[in-house]
Every structure is written in C-alpha cells, then in structure tokens.
Amino acid sequence: MAQKCVHKGCGKKFDDPEEACVYHPGPPVFHEGQKGWSCCKPRFLTFDEFLSIPPCTTGKHSTVDDTPAPEPKPAPPEDLAPPPKPIAVSNGTTETYPAPRLPQAPQQAAQAAPPPAPESESDDPSVPIPANKTCRRRGCNAVSSASTGSSSRDAEECTHHPGQAIFHEGSKGWTCCKRRVLEFDEFMNIEGCKRKKRHMFVGSAKDAGKEEALATVRHDFYQTPTTVIASLFLKKINKEKAKIEFSSPTEIKLDLPTTENKRYSTTIPLSGQIDTEKSTFKVMGTKLELTLVKLDGAGWPTLRSDEQRTSEIMQIGPAGRA
C-alpha cells in the first residue's frame, strides 16, 4: 500500500522506501516579512514564492516527521523603572519618594489585513492539461491525472483559499477565513474556505502560451580595484535556457527566460573594459550576479555606459594624505 512522505517540500506517495526523496530538512523561517527555510538561503516576501523554493536535500522518503523544531525566541527585556532617589528637604533630612511610572506607549492598532487577491481564472478548454499538474489555487493541492483533460470535469470540486496567507506575531492563517494556528504544519492543513467547480491546473491560454518581454530590470553594482560585482534582479531565471555571453571587453549579451513565462533580453554596454576570459556569472533564485574582472583597474562611475553619470567622486583603496 502506498504511503505518503511527510518530508517538507516532498509530500509524494511512495511504495519503494529506497526511492530518492528531495526535501527541506530544516523548519520554515519567517522573519520581518521574509520567508524561507533554515536549511537553505533563498528568502522571499510572498507566500507563493516561498512555496516554490526548490528542495535542497536528497534522501529517502519517510512517514515520520524528523524536522528539528525551530529555536525558541529569547524573551524581550522588560523596561524597569529607575530606583527611587532620596530628596533633601528643608530641615536637613532626606526622604525617599517612589519613582514615577514610566509612560506606557499606546498599543498600536492591528494593521488591517490586506484585501484578498482577485480569484484566479479557470482553465481554458483549448489548453491541454498534462498529468501530475497541481491545482494552482491556494490550499487545494489536487493533482491532475492522465485522463483529466479528456473526460468530463463537471464532478470536480476545488476547495481552496481565495485570500492571501497571513503571518502575525507567531500566528498563521488566511485573510479569507478566521482560523489561526501556531505551527506551520497545521497552517498547511487548514481546509479551504471556498468551493468552486473544477480545479485550475493550467489557467487561461494567455497564461499558458504567451511570453512577457521585459524592457528593463532593476540592477545594482559595487566595485573593488580589480572587479565589478553587478546584480540584475529577476526572479526564477531558467538556468538551463539562460544565455550570458561576454561578447567583447565593453559589452555583455543577455537572454534570460524565467519559469514564470517572462524573458529579459538585452545587450549591456559597459562603462569600462573587462577581461572576458576571467569574468564569471552566477544565476540565483532572485537575481543574476556578474563578477566582471577589470582590464585597467580604473573606477566605473556607472555600470552601463549609456547611464547618466552622477557628480559623485568614487574612491578605490585607502585615502591619501594631504
């Protein structure tokens, strides 16, 4: 009989206990709006991006949850009132009066929950549904079969959350319903609060086929006497299909498709000359990082030569003495 793996990020049904399991061995981490796993580095702001973080460890399936518990948070220090001070009076004696109470900061009103996101569209009948596709509505987790697209789907019922995930002071829940829990596993098992006929596995034809071309992405850089380290911020770059070419000492050609049906293609004219053989790149979860080795060691006022230069003076190395 098939059993379900309880490892975080896996959740597959298995018959062979020796089958490879790709999962997150550490507990989830939620800190100052960022979400991720303690066992790997990617951090995201939205819950959907958090769920898309690829598992970082390969092992074997298990029916026993061996995820270590998160470390307890230290209790914040309490504000203590200063000790009473002796006060001299007119007859030469001293008397002690209790110190005044510290003013209490007014309790901030709880921030209003963000409005629920608009409900997703339904599947386009003209788009084929592949097998083992998970429903895209939050909290549903239904998986398509090989016959999903060929048979009638009127009997399907999708139980999901139309709202957004919310994490506040340790409690976890959804903006569309009232239930709040403390543990992440309990949160993932909160039953959907809305029912709709038919799951959404592929979305509309626009979502399934049309690719969005990006005109620009945010970038930043810093430099040392020998290198320029530049970051181009684009999420979920497809590592297998991405093309980064150091075509000449003064330009870089980029073709960056993403797994979200977006593409950023451009040629970057550089402010200085680079060594094309020694320069390298690294594709990360939220950005492309370029390490550009300078040919002449000169400072770059901007990353791109077509950017407007500022009036700032850039210094490389220790300052000289007057």
Side-chain angles (χ1 to χ4, degrees), residues 33-264:
Q34 294 189 337
K35 304 168 183 64
W37 297 90
S38 62
C39 49
C40 49
K41 293 183 178 180
R43 295 292 183 269
F44 294 103
L45 295 178
T46 67
F47 186 69
D48 290 339
E49 290 173 324
F50 161 72
L51 289 181
S52 67
I53 297 176
C56 58
T57 300
T58 301
K60 296 180 180 179
H61 293 300
S62 174
T63 56
V64 179
D65 189 2
D66 52 3
T67 304
E71 297 180 358
K73 297 180 180 179
E78 298 181 357
D79 293 330
L80 300 177
K85 296 181 179 180
I87 302 175
V89 294
S90 57
N91 59 4
T93 62
T94 59
E95 294 183 8
T96 301
Y97 295 91
R101 293 183 61 187
L102 294 175
Q104 299 291 327
Q107 186 176 4
Q108 295 182 351
Q111 294 183 352
E119 190 172 339
S120 303
E121 299 177 0
S122 300
D123 285 339
D124 192 313
S126 63
V127 180
I129 301 174
N132 299 320
K133 194 78 173 178
T134 303
C135 180
R136 292 167 58 177
R137 296 194 181 102
R138 302 178 185 93
C140 178
N141 299 323
V143 179
S144 64
S145 63
S147 61
T148 298
S150 58
S151 59
S152 175
R153 301 180 58 190
D154 292 337
E156 291 180 3
E157 186 175 66
C158 180
T159 304
H160 64 285
H161 293 286
Q164 300 287 337
I166 184 171
F167 304 93
H168 181 65
E169 294 182 352
S171 67
K172 304 169 181 66
W174 298 89
T175 58
C176 50
C177 49
K178 295 181 179 181
R179 187 180 175 188
R180 298 292 183 267
V181 295
L182 296 177
E183 299 297 329
F184 181 73
D185 289 341
E186 294 176 335
F187 163 74
M188 294 298 291
N189 291 327
I190 296 177
E191 185 179 2
C193 57
K194 185 172 182 178
R195 288 177 171 81
K196 186 173 183 178
K197 282 192 173 296
R198 299 188 180 187
H199 299 292
M200 189 185 72
F201 296 114
V202 293
S204 66
K206 176 181 177 181
D207 296 335
K210 187 175 180 181
E211 185 177 69
E212 179 184 357
L214 302 177
T216 183
V217 298
R218 183 171 65 89
H219 70 268
D220 198 0
F221 81 101
Y222 66 94
Q223 59 186 309
T224 70
T226 57
T227 59
V228 173
I229 296 86
S231 296
L232 285 79
F233 297 92
L234 180 62
K235 297 177 181 177
K236 300 183 181 180
I237 299 173
N238 190 323
K239 294 183 180 181
E240 287 73 24
K241 297 182 179 180
K243 296 180 181 179
I244 299 93
E245 181 183 354
F246 302 107
S247 53
S248 77
T250 57
E251 70 177 20
I252 304 172
K253 293 182 179 179
L254 302 177
D255 183 24
L256 306 177
T258 73
T259 57
E260 295 182 329
N261 230 13
K262 299 179 182 180
R263 184 181 293 267
Y264 177 61

